[in-house]
Amino acid sequence: MGILTDMATATFTVKGMTCGHCVAAVSDEVRRVPGVRGVDVDLASGSLHVESDEPVAPAAIVAAVEEAGYEVVA
Amino acid sequence: MGILTDMATATFTVKGMTCGHCVAAVSDEVRRVPGVRGVDVDLASGSLHVESDEPVAPAAIVAAVEEAGYEVVA
């Protein structure tokens, strides 16, 4: 496989983030999930975009978000 | 002077705090101001209550709040 097709991406919606500290807390926790290579969080929309070396179980991302103190709603 | 009269207290109103991380950021910065002994921040009202060993210049508290990324409005 080529470089691009080795990547997996997934998008979630996170509820409860109100400021940049919240974004940082979610990013930090999700970034620690094994296999995750990149995380992008949009405060306004609650969008959480995850790039990983291979597909990561959504439950692992949900758990990381909850560890940070927030909730995945989609 | 007695123990109680050695203390000074002052209350400010902080604008822009949206979550517990914001409260922690403000508390941490204000607590570092020389002479400050205790800090209490109420997220809902924006109230910042400062106890100090002796009167502290309000400008020092305002500067600490701004360092944390927020604004004193009263």
Side-chain angles (χ1 to χ4, degrees):
Chain A
M1 290 195 290
I3 292 172
L4 288 173
T5 53
D6 282 344
M7 295 279 289
T9 65
T11 302
F12 304 83
T13 300
V14 177
K15 181 181 171 186
M17 298 185 298
T18 57
C19 73
H21 297 117
C22 298
V23 170
V26 168
S27 299
D28 288 350
E29 283 294 338
V30 174
R31 204 174 284 120
R32 290 186 192 175
V33 175
V36 169
R37 180 183 293 188
V39 177
D40 183 71
V41 180
D42 183 69
L43 173 60
S45 64
S47 168
L48 161 64
H49 189 72
V50 181
E51 288 188 358
S52 51
D53 295 327
E54 55 190 65
V56 170
I61 304 300
V62 169
V65 170
E66 290 180 350
E67 181 66 27
Y70 303 89
E71 188 186 355
V72 172
V73 293
Chain B
M1 291 194 291
I3 291 173
L4 288 173
T5 52
D6 283 344
M7 295 280 291
T9 65
T11 301
F12 304 83
T13 301
V14 177
K15 181 181 171 186
M17 298 185 298
T18 56
C19 73
H21 298 116
C22 300
V23 170
V26 168
S27 298
D28 288 349
E29 283 295 338
V30 174
R31 204 175 283 120
R32 290 186 193 177
V33 174
V36 169
R37 180 184 292 189
V39 176
D40 183 71
V41 180
D42 182 70
L43 173 60
S45 64
S47 168
L48 162 64
H49 189 72
V50 181
E51 288 188 357
S52 51
D53 295 327
E54 55 190 66
V56 169
I61 304 299
V62 169
V65 170
E66 290 181 350
E67 180 66 26
Y70 304 89
E71 188 186 355
V72 172
V73 292

